[in-house]
Amino acid sequence: MPYKYLAPLFSTIFLYLMFYLIGTFKFDVQIEAVAIPYDFLLQLFVAYMLFAWSRRIWIFWVLQTLLTGVLYIGNAVKISFFGGPIMPDDIFALRSLLLILEGWRFFAAAIPLAAIGSLFLFNFTMRHWSAYLASVAAILIGMTIIYQPAMIVEPLDKHFGNSVWDQRSNYLWHGATMYSLQEGARYFLIADVPPDMDEARESAQNLLSAQPPVDHAGKIFTPRNVHLVLLESFWDPNSLKKARYKQNPLAPDFRKLWKNADYAHAMAPVFGGFTANSEFEVLCGFPVVKDNVKFERQLLNDVPCLPHILAEKGYKTTASHPNVPVFWNRVNAYERMGFQTYWSLADFVQDDMNREFLSDVSLYRQVLDKIKPSLESKQPIFDYIVTYFGHWNYPLSESRPSKVSSPSPVEEVTTYANTVYYKSRELMGFIADIQKRDPDSIIVLFGDHLPFLGENFGGYVDSGVLATNRSEFTPEMFKFYVSTPMLILDGRKGAVKVGSLPLYQVPGLILKLLNYDEPVIMDYTQPVQGMRIRPLPGMHFDLLGDGKIEVCKEPPYSKTCQQSAEWLRNVNIVSNDLFIGRQVTRPEHPPQTTEQEFVGPPEKAGVYN
């Protein structure tokens, strides 16, 4: 019947309208009117391709509904949570997402994906000539995206425009289907590749020659223990003035200690998630500049990151995180960075839980029990801890009743404050225990990113500290967007005043406190001319010596932004050489070997050692 060929048209009109309205009114993500005709026509083209491969119309309708829902509602959900749409690299993060979800959340994510794949295979047919035509079109488009992506990106950029730093606006001005096509092609167009050897050496020389000479006279490397703690979503809720908390969420003794550090802050590369990128920076000393997970595909080599450097000096290097070991590809990433031991989910007794999250106090106690032999034998140790408690949606156990209340209509403003109430107090117990057992050690504590506080930054917007989307951020908002509390305790000397420090400059500071004077990869990312540079996907900002903030989005740049952009270009080239390339820029120093043994499958207790 000829009327059946109108089915994709009517279903596309209905689904596009339905998901457009849901995105607009439920998530406040409204595609611009000028983008709708182009986006709709491309979605219609996809619908007819799917229809051509279909044996049964009703299955086609179900498939189209699922695919369109994932595309339009999935993007709206990610924008409302993280401020940006789904990017091609998110496909590689899907496995990690499914690993961490439990209960109904897992099935809510897994069932649509399983249904799409199984229904497509069940309904697939090549009986009609239109199916062959659709196959030719799909193969041609796929080959163009992979091998000639500029043929797609350049005309679409010219017609629709592109903002390298504001992906939310790109999505709204393109629509979900057009945006996915454009960014899918751009992924292949700008993919990181190992740099040419001469180019890498030139960039390395440019970076090192810009650094002032360092005087190491009279300074001798002192192997003290280092305790580095990443605190999941740790932040000071008192910044939310409209929250009007009736109790102070942050522990008074933490605030007192933090005050001694002049309220130092870490400037993280991420917001609301992607903890692994903060880990990469604080362990390897290089900035993350793209909206992808560095551990997943951009850490292919064994690299002399902080754990590797300290292991060569006789340290025992341990990483502790009570989550599934393969999450964010940590098993491979940790080994490549130089950790000898990785304690993960199976290595911890789940004895004090906040839903599926092990409490911080239990994690600290168990880690200290594990490293006690090293502390007692005086073997220097690099003790790296990634806490688990603090993830959205901030659950508490019966033993941790709510202590903090707020009139805020955003639920997370209250639930998060109660999470911080317990995290900060359990943290102070850990600090006291470490200082009693190991008074000369270096202790570094920091939040990995700001917490999620409602859709479209709701809790932050209410207090005026952030705008609804990044295109409306002021320079001060960009700094706020990445700033979390940091404490660096230099043994008996106490708190170190570091101001606002990009996370990638922390490992260099730790080595400086240890009087380490050999060449290291962190030498490449030292501050430039008094600036502290915080890259973010598609942009960066410079924190100047006088406290001013200069935001660098797109050329033409100011003189300051030109300098920092050139520095960042050289850093990216050296980074690609070290982490995915030939490592011609790897520093050379007298080799010292320590015994490291990889034990076997990650599901067994103690991944390394």
Side-chain angles (χ1 to χ4, degrees):
M1 292 178 62
Y3 292 110
K4 73 176 183 179
Y5 296 107
L6 295 177
L9 174 62
F10 291 119
S11 63
T12 303
I13 292 173
F14 172 76
L15 292 174
Y16 198 96
L17 178 62
M18 180 177 69
F19 290 128
Y20 173 85
L21 294 174
I22 292 175
T24 299
F25 294 105
K26 171 61 179 174
F27 300 101
D28 195 25
V29 177
Q30 183 175 11
I31 297 172
E32 297 291 339
V34 295
I36 291 176
Y38 301 97
D39 189 50
F40 173 81
L41 288 174
L42 184 59
Q43 178 63 217
L44 183 62
F45 176 74
V46 173
Y48 269 101
M49 288 177 61
L50 185 63
F51 182 75
W53 290 319
S54 297
R55 287 189 297 174
R56 295 176 176 84
I57 291 181
W58 73 268
I59 297 180
F60 157 75
W61 283 335
V62 174
L63 263 176
Q64 187 188 18
T65 301
L66 290 171
L67 284 169
T68 310
V70 168
L71 199 58
Y72 287 84
I73 301 304
N75 273 293
V77 168
K78 191 184 175 199
I79 289 172
S80 67
F81 268 65
F82 299 109
I86 297 172
M87 300 293 286
D89 270 296
D90 290 332
I91 295 173
F92 297 95
L94 179 60
R95 174 173 172 269
S96 293
L97 173 65
L98 294 176
L99 282 170
I100 200 173
L101 294 177
E102 293 192 356
W104 68 267
R105 294 179 179 86
F106 171 81
F107 290 105
I111 289 176
L113 298 176
I116 289 171
S118 57
L119 287 175
F120 179 79
L121 292 174
F122 177 76
N123 203 39
F124 183 79
T125 182
M126 292 290 289
R127 293 180 180 177
H128 195 269
W129 63 267
S130 60
Y132 291 93
L133 188 62
S135 298
V136 170
I139 293 171
L140 182 61
I141 293 171
M143 293 178 66
T144 305
I145 289 174
I146 295 172
Y147 297 109
Q148 295 293 329
M151 295 179 64
I152 295 175
V153 173
E154 290 176 0
L156 291 182
D157 279 357
K158 184 176 180 180
H159 184 80
F160 293 100
N162 176 60
S163 174
V164 295
W165 65 274
D166 187 6
Q167 293 301 325
R168 176 187 172 122
S169 292
N170 284 342
Y171 174 85
L172 298 181
W173 286 93
H174 291 71
T177 312
M178 187 66 71
Y179 176 83
S180 299
L181 173 65
Q182 189 170 3
E183 293 309 311
R186 195 187 313 280
Y187 170 82
F188 290 97
L189 182 64
I190 64 173
D192 287 324
V193 295
D196 174 82
M197 294 173 63
D198 291 335
E199 181 185 29
R201 289 192 180 102
E202 180 182 359
S203 291
Q205 181 59 34
N206 290 340
L207 292 169
L208 295 178
S209 62
Q211 301 298 332
V214 180
D215 182 15
H216 292 288
K219 296 180 179 179
I220 301 175
F221 174 71
T222 308
R224 292 186 286 157
N225 295 332
V226 178
H227 304 276
L228 177 60
V229 184
L230 181 153
L231 298 160
E232 173 60 41
S233 302
F234 189 68
W235 180 70
D236 180 11
N238 290 292
S239 299
L240 304 175
K241 302 305 179 186
K242 291 293 182 67
R244 296 194 295 277
Y245 292 118
K246 294 179 173 59
Q247 302 84 11
N248 193 327
L250 213 56
D253 45 354
F254 175 85
R255 182 168 292 281
K256 181 180 179 180
L257 190 56
W258 192 26
K259 183 179 179 181
N260 293 339
D262 279 355
Y263 300 107
H265 282 85
M267 293 195 292
V270 289
F271 175 91
F274 291 79
T275 295
N277 284 347
S278 290
E279 291 190 70
F280 174 82
E281 289 201 353
V282 82
L283 293 170
C284 290
F286 273 75
V288 175
V289 300
K290 291 188 176 181
D291 191 13
N292 57 18
V293 179
K294 199 76 173 180
F295 281 6
E296 294 280 3
R297 299 182 306 111
Q298 294 295 309
L299 181 51
L300 306 182
N301 298 331
D302 291 340
V303 185
C305 297
L306 185 61
H308 180 101
I309 293 168
L310 295 179
E312 284 193 331
K313 288 295 184 181
Y315 277 69
K316 178 179 176 64
T317 57
T318 66
S320 304
H321 182 45
N323 192 1
V324 290
V326 295
F327 194 77
W328 290 142
N329 196 33
R330 283 188 175 102
V331 169
N332 295 317
Y334 284 172
E335 185 181 19
R336 289 166 186 164
M337 290 187 291
F339 282 109
Q340 300 160 335
T341 301
Y342 172 23
W343 291 309
S344 58
L345 180 63
D347 301 294
F348 293 97
V349 178
Q350 309 296 299
D351 58 357
D352 184 6
M353 307 298 291
N354 298 286
R355 209 170 63 202
E356 70 267 33
F357 305 118
L358 183 65
S359 72
D360 287 356
V361 67
S362 177
L363 174 61
Y364 296 145
R365 184 191 71 250
Q366 294 187 59
V367 169
L368 286 175
D369 287 344
K370 292 177 184 294
I371 67 174
K372 183 178 179 180
S374 294
L375 295 177
E376 292 179 345
S377 67
K378 305 300 181 183
Q379 179 189 11
I381 186 168
F382 175 51
D383 164 36
Y384 174 58
I385 301 174
V386 179
T387 68
Y388 200 21
F389 173 49
H391 273 281
W392 183 81
N393 54 357
Y394 317 121
L396 296 174
S397 63
E398 291 184 1
S399 63
R400 292 176 178 82
S402 295
K403 297 285 189 178
V404 184
S405 59
S406 167
S408 172
V410 180
E411 180 183 359
E412 287 86 354
V413 169
T414 299
T415 56
Y416 176 74
N418 281 282
T419 293
V420 169
Y421 178 91
Y422 290 103
K423 279 188 73 74
S424 60
R425 284 157 176 80
E426 292 173 14
L427 174 63
M428 290 309 299
F430 171 72
I431 293 174
D433 202 353
I434 286 289
Q435 290 182 326
K436 180 180 178 180
R437 299 191 193 195
D438 196 9
D440 294 314
S441 66
I442 296 171
I443 304 174
V444 180
L445 318 160
F446 67 96
D448 59 337
H449 52 69
L450 269 70
F452 170 78
L453 297 180
E455 297 172 2
N456 300 306
F457 309 126
Y460 301 100
V461 173
D462 286 349
S463 291
V465 292
L466 290 180
T468 304
N469 59 72
R470 293 205 323 175
S471 63
E472 300 172 1
F473 279 13
T474 64
E476 291 72 22
M477 287 179 179
F478 275 111
K479 182 173 179 287
F480 184 94
Y481 177 75
V482 299
S483 296
T484 63
M486 171 181 276
L487 264 179
I488 300 177
L489 305 176
D490 184 13
R492 301 174 195 270
K493 296 178 182 178
V496 180
K497 300 177 181 180
V498 297
S500 292
L501 189 69
L503 271 180
Y504 62 84
Q505 290 181 344
V506 171
L509 177 59
I510 291 173
L511 292 174
K512 182 178 179 181
L513 294 174
L514 293 171
N515 295 326
Y516 189 94
D517 63 353
E518 297 177 20
V520 291
I521 62 174
M522 297 82 183
D523 294 338
Y524 294 121
T525 56
Q526 292 304 302
V528 177
Q529 297 182 357
M531 287 190 292
R532 291 183 173 180
I533 302 167
R534 177 63 271 171
L536 290 169
M539 60 164 288
H540 65 280
F541 67 81
D542 302 330
L543 183 59
L544 306 181
D546 59 3
K548 293 182 180 178
I549 304 166
E550 183 143 3
V551 177
C552 310
K553 296 178 179 177
E554 298 178 69
Y557 287 139
S558 67
K559 183 178 179 180
T560 300
C561 286
Q562 287 177 1
Q563 293 172 342
S564 55
E566 178 62 16
W567 177 86
L568 196 53
R569 185 189 72 84
N570 285 317
V571 166
N572 289 337
I573 291 172
V574 173
S575 177
N576 286 337
D577 173 66
L578 288 169
F579 297 103
I580 64 174
R582 300 181 183 181
Q583 296 192 322
V584 298
T585 59
R586 182 171 176 146
E588 297 180 0
H589 53 82
Q592 294 182 343
T593 59
T594 58
E595 188 174 320
Q596 297 188 32
E597 181 182 357
F598 181 74
V599 176
E603 65 270 13
K604 292 189 177 181
V607 175
Y608 315 121
N609 192 335

